[in-house]
């Protein structure tokens, strides 16, 4: 096993990709315009993918391409050309779930590493070893696994096989995928990247002889969300995962915002740097607090410590957060931060700066000006250019935020 595990961050577009790079990812996984499981994300055309890979490789960061849909026959006809074009962009691995895609990749691109997606449902050492024998360099473990099963998989498979596991983010109602709920209700196939998240809808019970009467399944007056999973969070337990044999810690979120990618990647980078230092340290308090800053559902540790009780389900559809983004720093010079505004804010607001590889820093907005340098009381227009006085030197890409008001 390597001395330090890999931090693997998501990116649904180039803005998220840049944030993952800047805020500490060791590797980034992305999707192309087709064949990925996040059709709602902007994703990457081949020209942009090539640019992203070059940018990542300059920093020693790897890029993995998700090709994890379950393709139909007509799509398999074009799969070889798609994989060749993707490989020409310089990607470091392909993440696949379908055996046809896997065997096609091994046949036409035998030197390009293959990662077996979580959708392959690896829950035992025999399956993990079989995938390795087929040419998989890594398996992304099913999310149903407790730590002791991961340890057994590690002990009974080839040591060269890498193990990847999710440590943070949204969890599917069907845990490791292959869900039919969205397609049944809406015709949008979750196994082809078009999930409508039907499991997040509000459900009531209707008795056959009482049409029109909707009964909540629990005591919540807003209804019941019996299929709605909480978000996963394993930050306090990363050492246990590593000890069990996991060497790549994966953050979910290719459909999430640039702020989510920056904040969560930054927090896990800090936690991992502390925990896996030559002299291990506790997870910094500020890193744990950052997990509450971005929009999320209540957290759970999932199945890692055994079969969970009802605590894995979220009683409502609501998200929680403690902050909202108000601007992204374009440059910092002459005692001013030049910003691209994202949400309205005012002179006098208490704000904080999220910067890579360090705790957030707080100050009060003073001397707020528009793009022409004229004093203003409020930055009211989305994406407007503005600036604020600030004696803190920060890099471009730092994120200015304030307390969330819901």
């Amino acid at each position: 096993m390597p001395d330090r595990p890999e931090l693997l961050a998501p990116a649904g577009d180039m803005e998220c990709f840049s944030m993952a790079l800047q805020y500490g990812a060791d590797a980034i996984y992305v999707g192309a315009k087709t064949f990925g499981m996040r059709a709602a994300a902007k994703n990457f055309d081949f020209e942009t993918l090539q640019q992203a890979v070059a940018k990542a490789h300059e920093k020693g960061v790897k890029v993995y391409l998700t090709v994890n849909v379950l393709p139909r026959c007509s799509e398999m006809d074009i799969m070889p050309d798609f994989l060749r074009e993707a490989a020409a962009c310089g990607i470091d691995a392909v993440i696949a779930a379908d055996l046809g895609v896997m065997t096609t990749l091994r046949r036409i691109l035998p030197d390009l590493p293959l990662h077996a997606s979580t959708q392959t449902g690896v829950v035992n050492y025999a399956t993990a070893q079989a995938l390795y024998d087929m040419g998989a360099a890594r398996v992304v473990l099913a999310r149903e696994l407790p730590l002791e099963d991961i340890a057994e998989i590690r002990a009974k498979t080839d040591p060269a096989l890498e193990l990847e596991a999710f440590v943070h983010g949204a969890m599917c109602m069907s845990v490791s995928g292959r869900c039919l709920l969205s397609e049944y209700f809406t015709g949008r196939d979750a196994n082809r990247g078009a999930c409508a998240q039907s499991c997040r809808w509000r459900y009531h019970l209707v008795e056959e002889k009482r049409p029109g009467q909707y009964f909540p399944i629990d005591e919540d007056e807003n209804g019941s969300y019996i299929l709605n999973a909480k978000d996963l969070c394993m930050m306090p337990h990363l050492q246990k995962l590593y000890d069990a044999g996991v060497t790549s810690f994966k953050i979910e979120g290719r459909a999430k915002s640039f702020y989510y990618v920056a904040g969560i990647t930054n927090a896990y980078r800090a936690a991992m740097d502390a925990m896996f230092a030559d002299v291990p340290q506790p997870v910094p308090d500020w890193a744990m607090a950052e997990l509450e800053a971005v929009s999320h559902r209540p957290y759970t540790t999932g199945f890692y410590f055994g079969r969970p009780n009802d605590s894995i389900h979220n009683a409502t559809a609501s998200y929680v957060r403690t902050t909202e983004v108000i601007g992204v720093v374009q440059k910092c010079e002459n005692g001013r931060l030049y910003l691209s505004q994202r949400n309205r804010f005012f002179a006098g607001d208490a704000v904080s700066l999220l910067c890579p590889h360090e705790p957030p820093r707080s100050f009060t907005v003073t001397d707020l000006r528009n793009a022409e340098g004229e004093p203003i009381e409020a930055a009211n227009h989305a994406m407007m250019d503005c600036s604020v006085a600030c004696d803190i030197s920060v890099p471009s890409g730092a994120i200015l935020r304030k307390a969330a008001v819901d």
Side-chain angles (χ1 to χ4, degrees):
M1 287 177 62
D3 293 334
R4 293 166 69 95
E6 172 187 84
L7 177 58
L8 177 56
D13 58 25
M14 198 61 177
E15 184 175 36
C16 291
F17 190 92
S18 296
M19 291 295 180
L21 264 184
Q22 188 171 6
Y23 283 83
D26 297 311
I28 304 170
Y29 64 105
V30 304
K33 291 295 185 181
T34 54
F35 300 132
M37 285 294 289
R38 291 293 184 272
K42 292 180 181 179
N43 294 313
F44 292 73
D45 58 32
F46 287 129
E47 180 180 358
T48 308
L49 178 60
Q50 188 172 27
Q51 294 168 0
V53 170
K55 191 175 179 182
H57 286 179
E58 286 177 0
K59 293 192 171 186
V61 173
K62 294 181 178 181
V63 179
Y64 308 144
L65 182 69
T66 60
V67 189
N68 53 349
V69 298
L70 305 182
R72 300 293 192 261
C73 290
S74 60
E75 293 171 315
M76 285 305 302
D77 294 339
I78 62 174
M79 184 62 69
D81 287 341
F82 171 85
L83 291 172
R84 289 189 185 98
E85 287 190 76
C89 295
I91 57 174
D92 296 284
V94 165
I95 305 170
D98 180 79
L99 290 178
V101 174
M102 293 181 189
T103 55
T104 299
L105 180 71
R106 290 279 57 83
R107 175 172 55 83
I108 67 172
L109 296 163
D111 296 327
L112 182 60
L114 165 65
H115 296 177
S117 168
T118 189
Q119 282 198 296
T120 56
V122 177
V123 295
N124 63 66
Y125 58 83
T127 302
Q129 184 63 46
L131 288 165
Y132 178 75
D133 294 341
M134 288 176 54
R138 175 184 296 188
V139 294
V140 187
L141 297 170
R143 303 194 204 191
E144 298 93 331
L145 284 174
L147 287 170
E148 54 264 31
D149 285 12
I150 295 174
E152 186 171 3
I153 290 171
R154 176 68 289 162
K156 295 182 177 179
T157 54
D158 194 296
L161 176 64
E162 299 172 358
L163 301 184
E164 177 181 306
F166 283 91
V167 297
H168 196 91
M171 293 202 300
C172 176
M173 174 272 298
S174 61
V175 190
S176 289
R178 301 213 175 189
C179 175
L180 299 176
L181 200 62
S182 173
E183 186 173 25
Y184 178 80
F185 280 130
T186 70
R188 290 170 52 180
D189 190 345
N191 300 306
R192 294 163 62 78
C195 181
Q197 294 200 333
S198 306
C199 55
R200 310 294 189 190
W201 298 352
R202 179 184 302 174
Y203 290 93
H204 284 69
L205 187 66
V206 178
E207 200 276 325
E208 181 180 6
K209 296 181 180 179
R210 295 175 174 81
Q213 296 185 42
Y214 300 97
F215 300 96
I217 300 173
D218 59 21
E219 297 302 319
D220 188 337
E221 70 276 9
N222 294 318
S224 176
Y225 298 83
I226 56 174
L227 305 175
N228 186 28
K230 291 180 178 179
D231 283 0
L232 179 67
C233 176
M234 283 293 287
M235 182 180 282
H237 310 290
L238 298 180
Q239 184 66 55
K240 294 184 178 71
L241 279 168
Y242 180 72
D243 291 344
V246 176
T247 56
S248 179
F249 295 161
K250 187 171 194 172
I251 299 169
E252 181 277 338
R254 282 196 297 120
K256 298 291 182 65
S257 70
F258 73 88
Y259 178 40
Y260 171 94
V261 172
I264 298 300
T265 302
N266 198 49
Y268 273 83
R269 177 77 280 151
M272 290 170 63
D273 286 349
M275 296 173 73
F276 298 100
D278 292 338
V279 180
Q281 302 293 321
V283 175
D285 291 340
W286 71 263
M288 287 298 301
E290 283 297 302
L291 303 183
E292 302 297 330
V294 301
S295 180
H296 65 282
R297 297 178 182 90
Y299 289 128
T300 176
T301 55
F303 288 77
Y304 282 119
F305 297 104
R307 181 172 296 277
N309 55 26
D310 290 342
S311 65
I312 199 170
H313 295 107
N314 190 19
T316 74
S318 62
Y319 289 79
V320 292
R321 58 183 175 143
T322 59
T323 65
E324 65 176 3
V325 176
I326 57 175
V328 178
V329 176
Q330 304 301 301
K331 64 179 180 179
C332 174
E333 62 182 28
N334 301 323
R336 299 194 69 79
L337 295 182
Y338 292 85
L339 307 165
S340 172
Q341 187 260 33
R342 300 304 172 94
N343 282 292
R344 185 173 63 167
F345 68 99
F346 301 86
D349 279 347
V351 297
S352 66
L353 272 169
L354 176 65
C355 299
H357 312 295
E358 62 180 65
R361 293 183 276 181
S362 300
F363 66 99
T364 299
V365 172
T366 59
D367 194 14
L368 175 59
R369 301 183 186 183
N370 61 19
E372 289 71 38
E374 301 164 337
I376 54 177
E377 290 299 314
N380 286 320
H381 308 296
M383 303 302 290
M384 70 178 285
D385 292 329
C386 58
S387 69
V388 299
C390 182
D391 58 5
I392 302 172
S393 178
V394 300
S396 299
I399 297 171
L400 191 67
R401 69 253 179 108
K402 66 178 183 179
V405 179
D406 293 318

